[in-house]
Amino acid sequence: MKEAWEIMNSISSDVSYISGGTLMQLQREQGTPLPENLISLEKIESLRGIKKVVSNGKTMLEIGALTTLADCCSDPLINQEWDLLSISAKSVASPAVRNRGTLGGNVSYRIGDTIPSLLALDAEITWFDGTETYKEPLYDYLKNPPAPAFGNTPVITSFLLPETPVSTKLMSFYQKVGRRESFIPSLVTASAYCCWNSYNEIDYIRLAVGGGANAPIRLKRCERFLKGKVITEEILALVYEEIIDEFKPDSDMFVSASYRKTVVANLIVSKLEDNLAESP
Amino acid sequence: MQRDQLVYKNRNRVRPDGKAKVTGSLKYLTDLSFPNMLYGKILRSAYPHAKILSININDAEKLPGVKAVITHKDIPGLNGFGIISPDQPVLCEDRVRYVGDAIAAVAAETIEIAEKALQLIKVEYEQLPILDDPEIALEPHAPQLHENGNLLHQAGYQKGDVDEGFVRSLVVIEETYQVPRQMHTYMETEGGVIVPEANGALSVYVGTQHGYKDRFQLSRILGKPEEDIRIISSPMGGSFGGKDELNIQPYGAILALKTACPVKIHQTRKESVISGLKRHPMRITMKTGVDKDGKILAHKVDILADTGAYSTLGPAILDFAVEHATGPYMVPNVKTEGLSVFTNNGVAGEFRGFGGNQITFALEGQIDRLAEKLNIDSIELRRRNIRKVDDVGPLGHRIAPTNGASDVLEAISNHMKIKRNELNNLNLDKFKVRGIGTAITMHGGGLGQGRLDPAGGRLSLNKDGKIEIAFGFEEAGQGILGVIETIVTEELGCSTDDLSIIIGDTALVPSSGSTTASRGTSMVWHAVKRMKDVFERKLLDQASKHTGISVNELQLSSGGVSKLANDKSFSLVMSYLELAEHMNKSKQSSIVTTNFDFPTTPDDVDGGHFLYTFGSVLAQVEIDLLTGKVKVIDLDQSISAGPIVSMKGYTGQIEGGGVMALGYTLMEEALMVEGKYITENLDAYLIPSISDVPFAMMTEAIESLHDGDPYGPRGVGEIGTVAVAPAIAKAIHDAIGYWVSRLPVSSEEILQAASHRRMKQWAKVEQ
Amino acid sequence: MGESRAVTVNQPTEDKTIDITVVINGKEQHLQTEPTKRLVDILRNDLDLTGTKISCGIGRCGACSVMINGNLINSCLVMAYQVDQASITTIEGIVREEGLDPIQTAFLEEGGFQCGYCTPGMVMAVKSLLADTPNPTEEQIKTALSGNLCRCTGYGGIIRAVQRVIEEGTYL
Ligand SMILES: Cc1cc2nc3c(=O)[nH]c(=O)nc-3n(C[C@H](O)[C@H](O)[C@H](O)COP(=O)(O)OP(=O)(O)OC[C@H]3O[C@@H](n4cnc5c(N)ncnc54)[C@H](O)[C@@H]3O)c2cc1C
Ligand code: FES
Ligand code: FES
């Protein structure tokens, strides 16, 4: 790790980290030349591996940044408790690309399709800036990316997934919509994690959306709106409007912003609808 | 109807090129390399429409490793190509008309150096207004792209009086249909190696669908006699019409001649997207009137085709669309007008279906809309208008008698009943709805009346004792090798081991015309039929002379000539090798050749076809009401194209064609904005993946032909692509009550349509 | 940090090359190459292993699929330095001593190809699937082959070929 950082520092310009290299190779073919110097993180073993760790008395799943997307799909721990991540990883590219593409690379991409699931799972990210390793919620990291220290981007080292809240009634989902059934850049991504208390009120909720060139975000206003609410037809209609209002994606050559809003609202509200409180 | 016709026993065989393909040992022409080989790269225009003020290649030439840089000045002969009229410059001199226009080309020691050299070529342009839509190009003050203006071709057909027909109609539907620019997306992009030979001759190892035509075009460009040019054009990693026109051959050839080294050019996908042909985008307006019983009284059609910057086969494709505007229906009053217009968009040209796909989407859309209005079952409405065995063709010309149209309609009607029943008993997720639709079509084979459509072949016993059959066709994956093998072995009675098939090399084969228009299978069958008797006679005569057995008792068989015993068993009397040696010694030639034309209508109707195939499609779709996405659940086809020569080939063509058309309907569009491609590679230009297709598709072959039909098997290369889009469109309507008229179907449009129908209670209806 | 190390890779600005050792189809090879050269170019141009095809160059078609250390990989997305010490299997390494791999036979018999350009990559993908999952479900087949595009067959023949191998149980 240190070594990577030192190399990074020793080369002053035109340098970049590279993990699986899938994205960089894609961009190279599309006309962005590779930087003159690449620092491969691939052989840094400490950036690999999936294991449970205890941090501040809380059990968390630690996933090294170099973990391939294929491993995110197949890992039994992830599949058991954090399956939103494996579902989202499965939606990225193809098996062959997933065999090389890494989770760290996907998050560095900023529009990576795993990000909404990581946000819904309340993931934390750790990164190394040459001297110290930092840890913060992924949400904060994405909102305010760390300033490059000495002109260099910090290395993402791992992701930490807290144990997911348990409750007798919960809903979680991840869905990606593209122009084809599989092996396709996203138009829209949406993910949610939601728990109800014994009064049938939502007491925990994460809603994250993205897609296309739109950096994934959490719908915090909608989350606040829903917290403490019992789901009724009326609430569904309101939250539908709220989502459309809060999510402000861009249009592109293939779909309009309005399509993205509508689909995100449809996906989330339809899942909530499955959890309508039975009418008294 | 004759039910027990010709059946090929060996139609289930494994094709001869199979093993090399599954093991990866087959050398495609882009896999070849030669000693001292250089790599070529082509500089394409930076703008869709511009004047070229200057071209400076000095820096590029000086780059170490660069062996030659060529511009228009280096063209020895005609600076132009095009199958019909050579209006596309090989290398532009003073003007560019689309982003694929070539300005210079480089040969260098490595690809990287060649790429670098391209960057060093300085071209000064003066941009000109971009005509990115045929309607704009037809405006009176639009800049003229060619000497004769922006209208490449105008075609029409008229019969009866449509106005009067509409007056008498009970229901009239008018709709405009828009179809996209589809890319062939052959997996092997254009390329190959051009090798200079002794005495200025040239061997061109580059895939094409018509080696002799390439030779002719290259000879014109290079100012070299055709005999000096050898075209090796097979195998190809797909073509679908897209490699019929010249692509990289002229650049490779000029570079090879200039450097005296073999030159390899293999376009990257992006280069292929930019320079390659596409299917014609069309805007088709149809107005169709019916009486109360659903009899079509009048049909008025206007076609506007965007042919891009140059002609290639644009005129012929428009003619084909005009011909097929009434499809398999008998309509008393017809008026069809078509315009094919030059623009600064990508060049549109030959593509599987040849204009039939576009027009069929519109025509079948009309029939379905009329059926809805009349409240008649859409299959029944078709039944009421469909052509009968002896009816004339769509241009009023005589065609080979056929009941194909009704056959495929009734087949799909029966299939529909089963599928409808299954669907009625299905429980679906509450946010999914399904629908089923059908469509039919009629598709002409061959190039049509008035178009040179010669074919030929050669049969001989070569000195190695192999029965050698030679055709000028190319193998692009369609399975022509398997077809030749089956037809020859079964017609002659020899075995595959006795056979040597030669195709795709102008040095070795006779001209057979182009490997296009679903004509290959048909042509092979005709050629073998014509040559068979003479050839057999020649061989048996000689065998008889040698063995003293009477000709009547001899026959060709596996391994050699056999004697037929009274008990119908036969025994080999002379191997083919012995026979070959004998014939060689006695200087007897075994060569039989044939030249003939593809059968056309006896009537003098330009472009009219004579042999047609028929197809019907059933599509079942599932629509996701939350996303507007359409997924095809079933894609089943019934085809009437005569006897099957190769089972796997037949099914493969229909399934593969069907899926290609599924892509056309739901996702494929080579998007251009102001003359530039937005979809530059396979991440944005989408073709169906395995997850987009039904896991099982049905292909039903109706093999019987009309009584006494002497024309044998018809080709099935195109028919499977033609009627898919309208079947899917009808299925979508069946599911959500909305008619799509624009392809590819937009999820956004579907989602909106579904919302308008208040299919979700919590969503406010968007205005 | 034990074996762990960061590796700098320099672009061939001054014709820098590196030496790598790879096992290709069971044979160890030492290659001198630019570190960022694509594996697909090494295979096709330097080693004349042209069974591996190229079509998109961006990981979007699967024509260039090979196995690296037993994993299916797009050889157009991998650079020379990344395969140092790796074991690579290409389509040329699939044929068994006894003859064709059962997957190849099934492709032949079921019409799993037409032009054949996608076929080597497709065979590699099927091989990778069946090695892990000898009896896959429809969903698993679709997932496994989702990165391999075929323009000719419409996938019908390919699906039938895979089903045939499964039925014959040769990979069980
Ligand atoms: C064919 C194809 C299809 C794809 N489809 C999808 C898709 O559907 N969804 C999707 O989200 N993505 C997709 N991608 C994009 C991308 O390849 C993946 O997101 C992948 O996870 C990137 O990982 P990598 O290790 O290959 O990244 P690399 O290419 O190695 O790196 C990508 C970027 O991240 C930086 N980086 C990498 N690791 C670190 C680290 N640990 N710390 C700091 N910076 C780092 C690099 O400097 C570089 O800028 C696709 C790519 C291809 C080629
Ligand atoms: S060429 Fe590598 S995936 Fe297409
Ligand atoms: S067989 Fe041609 S692309 Fe698959």
Side-chain angles (χ1 to χ4, degrees):
Chain A
M1 266 310 307
K2 265 237 149 24
E3 195 186 339
W5 186 260
E6 275 154 20
I7 299 171
M8 177 67 105
N9 273 335
S10 69
I11 309 164
S12 48
S13 67
D14 207 10
V15 51
S16 175
Y17 297 118
I18 181 164
S19 293
T22 57
L23 180 61
M24 300 196 75
Q25 192 67 35
L26 168 70
Q27 291 167 338
R28 175 194 195 181
E29 199 60 27
Q30 288 172 339
T32 317
L34 286 178
E36 225 164 88
N37 301 283
L38 294 172
I39 301 177
S40 169
L41 304 175
E42 265 186 300
K43 300 246 161 91
I44 306 179
E45 288 303 321
S46 63
L47 296 185
R48 284 185 192 281
I50 301 170
K51 57 176 181 292
K52 282 199 174 169
V53 293
V54 178
S55 148
N56 299 338
K58 283 192 300 183
T59 306
M60 298 188 123
L61 188 72
E62 185 187 76
I63 307 171
L66 269 185
T67 306
T68 61
L69 295 170
D71 286 342
C72 292
C73 296
S74 63
D75 182 78
L77 284 174
I78 298 181
N79 271 296
Q80 263 163 38
E81 260 187 79
W82 294 274
D83 67 327
L84 288 186
L85 176 58
S86 50
I87 296 169
S88 71
K90 268 185 209 132
S91 82
V92 174
S94 63
V97 174
R98 296 197 288 269
N99 278 335
R100 284 209 61 82
T102 63
L103 190 58
N106 194 263
V107 171
S108 300
Y109 188 20
R110 291 300 147 101
I111 54 170
D113 289 332
T114 63
I115 298 173
S117 70
L118 290 169
L119 289 173
L121 290 170
D122 244 355
E124 295 179 1
I125 185 171
T126 66
W127 46 278
F128 179 74
D129 79 345
T131 38
E132 247 178 286
T133 301
Y134 296 83
K135 184 171 87 168
E136 63 177 326
L138 177 64
Y139 176 79
D140 295 336
Y141 175 93
L142 294 173
K143 220 164 175 192
N144 298 305
F150 321 110
N152 292 330
T153 339
V155 186
I156 298 173
T157 49
S158 72
F159 301 91
L160 289 162
L161 303 180
E163 288 196 310
T164 47
V166 278
S167 93
T168 46
K169 182 170 163 188
L170 68 79
M171 175 277 276
S172 76
F173 86 98
Y174 172 90
Q175 197 170 335
K176 165 171 162 177
V177 179
R179 291 193 294 132
R180 182 166 70 190
E181 292 291 325
S182 66
F183 193 30
I184 181 77
S186 58
L187 292 172
V188 166
T189 49
S191 190
Y193 198 98
C194 185
C195 299
W196 282 262
N197 63 18
S198 51
Y199 305 106
N200 223 349
E201 296 159 355
I202 292 178
D203 67 356
Y204 178 93
I205 182 154
R206 297 286 178 272
L207 296 174
V209 299
N214 300 284
I217 56 159
R218 254 173 69 189
L219 298 174
K220 286 233 169 180
R221 246 174 50 209
C222 294
E223 289 175 4
R224 278 196 299 274
F225 173 81
L226 282 168
K227 184 134 191 219
K229 297 252 172 27
V230 174
I231 301 287
T232 61
E233 296 272 2
E234 195 193 345
I235 293 291
L236 288 179
L238 289 172
V239 79
Y240 191 89
E241 292 309 313
E242 196 71 30
I243 295 169
I244 300 237
D245 201 48
E246 184 173 5
F247 183 39
K248 298 203 158 48
D250 288 334
S251 299
D252 59 28
M253 286 312 301
F254 303 112
V255 291
S256 71
S258 143
Y259 175 78
R260 291 198 156 97
K261 284 164 174 274
T262 311
V263 171
V264 156
N266 284 348
L267 293 177
I268 296 174
V269 175
S270 68
K271 294 290 174 187
L272 289 172
E273 191 189 48
D274 292 340
N275 293 280
L276 263 181
E278 275 114 66
S279 21
Chain B
M1 179 94 16
Q2 190 176 325
R3 283 296 163 190
D4 52 345
Q5 292 206 355
L6 170 68
V7 173
Y8 285 103
K9 298 190 292 289
N10 285 324
R11 58 193 201 173
N12 288 317
R13 78 168 71 242
V14 166
R15 43 194 283 183
D17 55 350
K19 193 167 167 197
K21 284 183 173 173
V22 300
T23 56
S25 65
L26 184 74
K27 286 282 182 192
Y28 292 80
L29 302 169
T30 50
D31 293 336
L32 299 177
S33 52
F34 290 82
N36 300 321
M37 189 173 81
L38 302 173
Y39 292 88
K41 279 272 163 196
I42 303 160
L43 180 72
R44 309 272 177 187
S45 173
Y47 301 102
H49 193 198
K51 265 192 208 155
I52 298 177
L53 303 178
S54 69
I55 306 169
N56 184 333
I57 58 170
N58 292 345
D59 291 350
E61 279 181 318
K62 278 188 224 133
L63 186 72
V66 170
K67 298 294 171 190
V69 182
I70 55 167
T71 65
H72 61 92
K73 293 184 191 137
D74 299 280
I75 297 169
L78 176 78
N79 186 5
F81 66 100
I83 292 178
I84 294 175
S85 43
D87 61 358
Q88 175 158 3
V90 175
L91 288 162
C92 297
E93 181 176 351
D94 50 12
R95 188 170 176 197
V96 287
R97 294 181 183 82
Y98 88 117
V99 286
D101 259 333
I103 297 170
V106 173
E109 281 164 5
T110 67
I111 299 176
E112 292 73 28
I113 298 173
E115 272 167 356
K116 196 139 211 190
L118 288 192
Q119 289 164 13
L120 296 176
I121 298 173
K122 295 191 198 78
V123 184
E124 270 186 290
Y125 301 91
E126 180 188 315
Q127 287 194 61
L128 296 168
I130 299 164
L131 303 176
D132 62 355
D133 188 293
E135 264 166 51
I136 297 173
L138 285 179
E139 280 170 7
H141 300 294
Q144 303 295 290
L145 294 175
H146 291 277
E147 232 168 80
N148 297 324
N150 293 340
L151 182 61
L152 163 65
H153 185 59
Q154 183 161 14
Y157 173 68
Q158 195 165 349
K159 168 178 163 191
D161 179 348
V162 280
D163 293 329
E164 192 253 352
F166 287 126
V167 171
R168 289 196 290 121
S169 295
L170 174 69
V171 174
V172 176
I173 292 272
E174 183 168 357
E175 176 86 84
T176 298
Y177 300 83
Q178 291 190 58
V179 288
R181 177 178 289 107
Q182 186 182 25
M183 179 163 83
H184 304 75
T185 328
Y186 24 77
M187 280 292 127
E188 183 195 32
T189 51
E190 308 82 3
V193 188
I194 294 93
V195 183
E197 308 284 3
N199 306 324
L202 210 56
S203 297
V204 181
Y205 296 83
V206 182
T208 176
Q209 287 178 232
H210 194 176
Y212 276 91
K213 178 69 88 183
D214 277 18
R215 192 174 79 156
F216 163 75
Q217 289 214 64
L218 278 177
S219 125
R220 203 163 55 175
I221 293 164
L222 301 174
K224 229 180 216 322
E226 290 190 45
E227 300 69 50
D228 284 358
I229 304 170
R230 173 181 173 202
I231 309 280
I232 303 92
S233 44
S234 247
M236 267 179 279
S239 178
F240 315 112
K243 292 174 182 164
D244 198 21
E245 185 59 91
L246 284 184
N247 45 70
I248 57 101
Q249 295 91 335
Y251 314 101
I254 299 169
L255 289 168
L257 289 172
K258 192 160 173 179
T259 58
C261 287
V263 174
K264 178 169 187 166
I265 302 180
H266 187 185
Q267 301 215 88
T268 63
R269 178 58 66 180
K270 188 170 165 181
E271 290 166 345
S272 170
V273 169
I274 289 171
S275 62
L277 298 181
K278 307 287 181 305
R279 189 189 293 288
H280 281 78
M282 289 186 190
R283 224 164 280 162
I284 301 169
T285 301
M286 280 191 182
K287 183 174 170 187
T288 314
V290 286
D291 68 15
K292 66 175 192 334
D293 301 321
K295 276 302 261 181
I296 303 172
L297 298 181
H299 188 52
K300 186 171 178 302
V301 182
D302 285 288
I303 306 168
L304 185 62
D306 177 355
T307 208
Y310 301 104
S311 310
T312 180
L313 286 178
I317 290 162
L318 181 66
D319 290 344
F320 195 96
V322 167
E323 175 186 351
H324 289 75
T326 49
Y329 307 113
M330 300 310 292
V331 185
N333 305 295
V334 182
K335 187 172 179 194
T336 305
E337 284 178 350
L339 301 176
S340 193
V341 181
F342 288 121
T343 64
N344 295 119
N345 288 330
V347 178
E350 182 176 340
F351 197 151
R352 193 181 203 178
F354 213 73
N357 308 30
Q358 294 96 319
I359 203 76
T360 302
F361 174 59
L363 172 64
E364 292 292 277
Q366 289 293 97
I367 306 284
D368 286 333
R369 283 161 177 76
L370 287 166
E372 185 196 28
K373 273 270 155 67
L374 288 167
N375 209 4
I376 298 179
D377 172 71
S378 65
I379 291 177
E380 174 56 25
L381 184 61
R382 288 180 169 86
R383 202 174 277 133
R384 292 182 191 175
N385 290 285
I386 205 144
R387 53 165 295 113
K388 305 283 176 322
V389 177
D390 292 312
D391 279 334
V392 290
L395 301 177
H397 59 295
R398 277 171 287 169
I399 71 170
T402 167
N403 198 44
S406 291
D407 289 348
V408 297
L409 182 68
E410 296 314 326
I412 217 69
S413 171
N414 290 333
H415 192 51
M416 177 72 156
K417 286 176 199 141
I418 299 168
K419 285 285 165 185
R420 181 65 77 194
N421 207 16
E422 276 174 24
L423 179 58
N424 289 342
N425 294 317
L426 194 74
N427 281 324
L428 281 172
D429 179 301
K430 66 175 168 174
F431 294 115
K432 302 263 164 78
V433 284
R434 287 201 182 182
I436 305 180
T438 59
I440 67 170
T441 194
M442 163 179 188
H443 194 81
L447 305 186
Q449 162 59 238
R451 318 276 149 102
L452 289 175
D453 199 358
R458 188 182 66 227
L459 197 53
S460 62
L461 183 66
N462 70 18
K463 62 177 185 352
D464 303 326
K466 297 278 182 207
I467 295 177
E468 184 178 292
I469 178 94
F471 285 108
F473 292 126
E474 283 81 17
E475 177 62 61
Q478 79 279 37
I480 193 78
L481 286 171
V483 164
I484 296 173
E485 192 178 84
T486 299
I487 292 180
V488 178
T489 51
E490 299 213 7
E491 293 291 341
L492 292 182
C494 64
S495 76
T496 52
D497 288 342
D498 303 325
L499 201 62
S500 161
I501 303 174
I502 299 184
I503 60 163
D505 183 343
T506 54
L508 305 175
V509 302
S511 169
S512 302
S514 60
T515 315
T516 60
S518 305
R519 62 200 285 290
T521 299
S522 201
M523 294 298 212
V524 168
W525 186 84
H526 281 278
V528 174
K529 282 265 180 220
R530 277 159 195 268
M531 295 188 289
K532 169 184 155 179
D533 289 347
V534 186
F535 181 70
E536 222 167 40
R537 189 80 212 177
K538 276 195 181 194
L539 263 52
L540 295 185
D541 274 351
Q542 290 303 314
S544 165
K545 274 205 184 116
H546 192 70
T547 57
I549 305 169
S550 120
V551 170
N552 298 336
E553 291 174 80
L554 292 175
Q555 68 175 41
L556 301 184
S557 64
S558 172
V561 178
S562 291
K563 177 173 189 284
L564 202 61
N566 286 338
D567 62 355
K568 298 239 161 122
S569 72
F570 48 91
S571 50
L572 207 63
V573 294
M574 202 176 182
S575 74
Y576 288 123
L577 185 58
E578 286 165 332
L579 183 57
E581 280 162 358
H582 164 74
M583 288 179 78
N584 226 2
K585 247 183 263 155
S586 51
K587 301 225 162 8
Q588 291 294 324
S589 161
S590 63
I591 299 175
V592 180
T593 58
T594 179
N595 287 294
F596 59 97
D597 290 315
F598 195 89
T600 54
T601 172
D603 298 322
D604 184 18
V605 172
D606 186 46
H609 290 79
F610 186 61
L611 300 181
Y612 290 84
T613 49
F614 298 84
S616 57
V617 181
L618 177 143
Q620 179 171 190
V621 301
E622 181 172 285
I623 295 177
D624 185 327
L625 296 172
L626 301 173
T627 64
K629 294 217 46 162
V630 178
K631 186 173 162 60
V632 176
I633 304 293
D634 285 312
L635 191 60
D636 297 334
Q637 305 209 40
S638 295
I639 302 296
S640 164
I644 296 177
V645 181
S646 155
M647 203 70 197
K648 284 192 277 282
Y650 194 100
T651 315
Q653 284 299 317
I654 301 309
E655 289 179 344
V659 167
M660 187 178 254
L662 181 159
Y664 182 58
T665 314
L666 296 183
M667 64 188 82
E668 297 189 30
E669 177 164 29
L671 252 186
M672 300 196 88
V673 172
E674 295 191 341
K676 289 199 173 180
Y677 281 102
I678 303 296
T679 47
E680 290 186 327
N681 204 326
L682 303 185
D683 51 348
Y685 187 88
L686 305 179
I687 65 169
S689 78
I690 194 169
S691 321
D692 298 285
V693 307
F695 208 62
M697 291 172 272
M698 181 205 81
T699 302
E700 180 187 14
I702 299 166
E703 294 188 75
S704 58
L705 293 165
H706 184 62
D707 269 347
D709 178 288
Y711 304 105
R714 324 291 207 240
V716 290
E718 298 175 283
I719 188 73
T721 67
V722 184
V724 171
I728 293 176
K730 166 73 176 158
I732 292 173
H733 183 267
D734 188 46
I736 61 166
Y738 176 76
W739 291 117
V740 293
S741 55
R742 187 193 178 107
L743 303 181
V745 174
S746 141
S747 303
E748 184 154 4
E749 190 181 324
I750 296 295
L751 185 61
Q752 248 168 31
S755 304
H756 276 289
R757 282 169 177 72
R758 296 182 176 276
M759 299 184 102
K760 302 184 298 292
Q761 70 280 25
W762 25 260
K764 260 209 235 160
V765 174
E766 287 205 24
Q767 291 318 308
Chain C
M1 229 171 250
E3 279 283 89
S4 303
R5 62 201 168 93
V7 182
T8 359
V9 187
N10 292 304
Q11 280 272 80
T13 31
E14 307 123 45
D15 278 339
K16 277 198 198 119
T17 57
I18 55 167
D19 293 312
I20 61 170
T21 304
V22 281
V23 176
I24 299 182
N25 299 331
K27 238 179 51 206
E28 187 171 297
Q29 308 227 23
H30 302 278
L31 305 172
Q32 198 184 38
T33 165
E34 297 102 63
T36 57
K37 192 167 193 172
R38 300 184 300 186
L39 176 60
V40 66
D41 297 328
I42 296 176
L43 294 173
R44 288 178 55 80
N45 301 343
D46 301 349
L47 303 175
D48 201 35
L49 290 171
T50 54
T52 300
K53 302 301 181 199
I54 181 151
S55 184
C56 70
I58 58 165
R60 270 289 168 203
C61 73
C64 66
S65 306
V66 298
M67 281 216 263
I68 302 184
N69 300 334
N71 292 322
L72 189 72
I73 303 283
N74 307 95
S75 62
C76 69
L77 290 181
V78 189
M79 293 181 253
Y81 83 89
Q82 293 173 312
V83 295
D84 190 18
Q85 307 299 330
S87 167
I88 300 171
T89 309
T90 69
I91 186 73
E92 288 90 349
I94 288 289
V95 184
R96 301 177 172 190
E97 296 229 326
E98 328 81 82
L100 298 182
D101 186 285
I103 296 171
Q104 293 171 316
T105 312
F107 267 67
L108 278 176
E109 311 245 309
E110 293 298 335
F113 66 93
Q114 286 174 30
C115 81
Y117 204 76
C118 70
T119 313
M122 201 64 85
V123 169
M124 298 308 284
V126 174
K127 181 118 186 133
S128 167
L129 163 71
L130 296 181
D132 300 340
T133 322
N135 198 4
T137 60
E138 178 177 328
E139 257 339 285
Q140 286 170 321
I141 295 172
K142 284 187 174 177
T143 304
L145 302 186
S146 63
N148 292 72
L149 300 180
C150 173
R151 188 53 151 172
C152 299
T153 63
Y155 306 98
I158 294 169
I159 292 169
R160 288 189 288 274
V162 176
Q163 286 170 329
R164 181 172 184 141
V165 186
I166 299 168
E167 270 160 36
E168 287 172 353
T170 35
Y171 269 78
L172 280 173

